Amino acid sequence: MPDTSARTAAPDSGTHPASGLLRRALADVRSSRAPGLAPYVPERPFPWSGTGLPLTGVASRPGAGSGTGSRAAIDLDRVLRLSLAAPAGTPGRLRPVPSAGALHPVRAHLLIGPGCSLPPGRYAYDPRAHRAHPRGPAPDDAPPGVLVVLTVAASRTVAHYGHRAWPLLLLDTGHAAAALALAGPPAADVRVCLDADAALLSAAAGLPAAPDWPDAWPGTEPELPLASVRLTPAGVTTDVPGTLAVWAGPPRAGTPSPQPGAETAPPGELAATRHLLHHIARALERPGGTWHPAPRPGPVTDEALETRRSAPPDDLHHPPGEDLLVRLLITARTARPDGPAWTVAVGDDDPALYAKAPGSRGLAVRASGDARPTLARWAAGQQWIGGAGAVLLAHGCPGDAPPAAVRSGHLAAGYAAGAVQAHATALGLRSRPIGSWPVSYTHL
């Protein structure tokens, strides 16, 4: 069962009906209005100053992190190398974790307690250099393990995708959360939270709340917190929902460096995206969020995590067999118990939309005919989807969904797609996670 934080009497905007702002934003991203063409915006230098600590080999240093002289329980080199790190010797775009446009807007703040391969403290992780930049001390009562707060820097994604950027930022965060969770040590207790209050997440990460960022750190790009992953060493019992509150105590430290001209997106669209994400990430009634265990599909090995990549569309024409599709549908559905429903559109000789048949090991027809051409039109006109062997489709998030459901639905869809891609790689299948405005796809 998931851990949940205690409720308070404060109102929660996430449980209320969708505001006019959110309804209009959902309708806009699902409309035929296309964003203006924009050139690729290069990734800016890592904003957090100071000398980053190398992660490679740190777990075997005597006493690293734990003070015991033994190998650390949470090897952060391994966890981050198998999840968020850019492969050495590459430009940094094609990483194991998928991202819309290979823009990688998700940033990770590491809140490290005892029992890890780095000393306790707060760090910002640089995925291109695979280094951790110290940002301040840990609280005296920091629990063992590491708490990772995932934020998004929205400007490059908005510059490329315009009004369609904000769902993609949510999907990218879900992908990153799945990558971290799957890379957790097999014996560790791994929990994922997609609904904690944004202000509490910011405070725990040592960041200003999104509306206060421009005044607190002028000239730097705001980061909006959306999700968190907790890795606890085996045999340790801790109050997972309360961990965010523990870390919210220390003062902010480690100011990022100003980067004049970093915000290349149109100011109006960028401001609207940040405001909307902040709006849907408030959870005042249950600030500590809901923490679900993160199962790892049995066949997924470290090698599968390291080698998974988005395949070219030309490699995706042949549908997998029924047994493989059933296994992947089960992974998609069980990755997040609070996530959307999943079906699979298959072409070949008997085109139909299938779901896993209840109580059996096979597929059940949900609708006859070939849904892939329609899905291609919905996915911003990416016509190659019409020829994909199979398309896994997430269903959910109606146009009048409340803010909390919009946030958790997109994050959970991205999380499940990340788990499916890793499982597909382990089964020898090529795949290509694609985010569009109504749904998250994984093409096989």
Side-chain angles (χ1 to χ4, degrees), residues 2-444:
D3 292 321
T4 57
S5 62
R7 293 179 179 271
T8 68
D12 181 0
S13 64
T15 62
H16 295 172
S19 65
L21 169 69
L22 183 55
R23 286 196 301 271
R24 290 191 298 271
L26 278 169
D28 198 17
V29 297
R30 294 170 178 178
S31 72
S32 59
R33 183 167 78 93
L37 295 177
Y40 174 77
V41 178
E43 189 171 0
R44 296 283 177 172
F46 189 68
W48 296 95
S49 57
T51 303
L53 301 181
L55 292 164
T56 303
V58 73
S60 59
R61 291 209 301 256
S66 62
T68 64
S70 62
R71 187 174 180 85
I74 305 294
D75 180 357
L76 293 170
D77 170 41
R78 173 190 169 276
V79 169
L80 293 165
R81 177 173 47 81
L82 295 177
S83 57
L84 305 182
T90 71
R93 293 188 68 194
L94 302 180
R95 307 176 192 179
V97 61
S99 172
L103 296 171
H104 298 288
V106 181
R107 294 178 180 167
H109 293 268
L110 314 176
L111 316 183
I112 299 175
C116 293
S117 57
L118 284 176
R122 186 187 279 144
Y123 300 80
Y125 175 62
D126 180 356
R128 297 194 65 165
H130 191 47
R131 287 175 174 259
H133 289 246
R135 293 192 46 237
D140 294 337
D141 54 348
V146 58
L147 178 69
V148 184
V149 174
L150 296 174
T151 67
V152 291
S155 63
R156 294 174 70 230
T157 303
V158 174
H160 192 74
Y161 290 103
H163 64 287
R164 294 177 179 168
W166 66 268
L168 301 176
L169 292 164
L170 291 166
L171 293 171
D172 275 9
T173 305
H175 294 325
L180 280 166
L182 292 170
D189 179 27
V190 182
R191 306 267 172 155
V192 179
C193 179
L194 306 180
D195 62 352
D197 180 60
L200 181 58
L201 287 171
S202 289
L207 306 173
D212 303 329
W213 189 299
D215 293 328
W217 289 340
T220 65
E221 181 172 9
E223 298 182 28
L224 294 92
L226 293 171
S228 189
V229 179
R230 170 81 185 155
L231 309 177
T232 304
V236 174
T237 301
T238 184
D239 174 20
V240 179
T243 304
L244 285 169
V246 171
W247 278 95
R252 293 198 299 265
T255 305
S257 302
Q259 295 183 351
E263 296 192 349
T264 54
E269 287 187 341
L270 183 57
T273 297
R274 288 174 176 160
H275 177 70
L276 185 66
L277 289 176
H278 177 68
H279 171 65
I280 67 175
R282 291 181 296 174
L284 303 178
E285 182 181 353
R286 195 165 53 197
T290 308
W291 294 79
H292 289 286
R296 177 168 165 169
V300 175
T301 63
D302 286 6
E303 181 182 5
L305 295 177
E306 201 162 21
T307 58
R308 68 193 187 274
R309 292 291 187 278
S310 295
D314 288 345
D315 291 350
L316 303 173
H317 293 312
H318 303 291
E322 181 176 355
D323 176 66
L324 294 177
L325 289 176
V326 169
R327 294 174 70 179
L328 295 176
L329 281 171
I330 291 173
T331 293
R333 185 65 192 93
T334 58
R336 290 295 304 186
D338 56 343
W342 289 81
T343 58
V344 58
V346 182
D348 208 14
D349 297 330
D350 191 17
L353 188 68
Y354 296 93
K356 181 183 178 302
S360 80
R361 302 174 64 88
L363 297 173
V365 175
R366 295 291 297 272
S368 298
D370 194 350
R372 296 172 303 161
T374 298
L375 297 178
R377 290 196 299 273
W378 287 354
Q382 298 181 81
Q383 295 304 316
W384 61 267
I385 293 173
V391 183
L392 267 65
L393 179 66
H395 300 262
C397 195
D400 60 351
V406 173
R407 174 196 182 187
S408 62
H410 284 80
L411 289 171
Y415 184 94
V420 168
Q421 186 192 28
H423 195 179
T425 302
L427 296 174
L429 301 174
R430 307 296 303 277
S431 64
R432 186 179 182 87
I434 298 280
S436 73
W437 47 101
V439 290
S440 175
Y441 299 108
T442 298
H443 305 275
L444 303 166

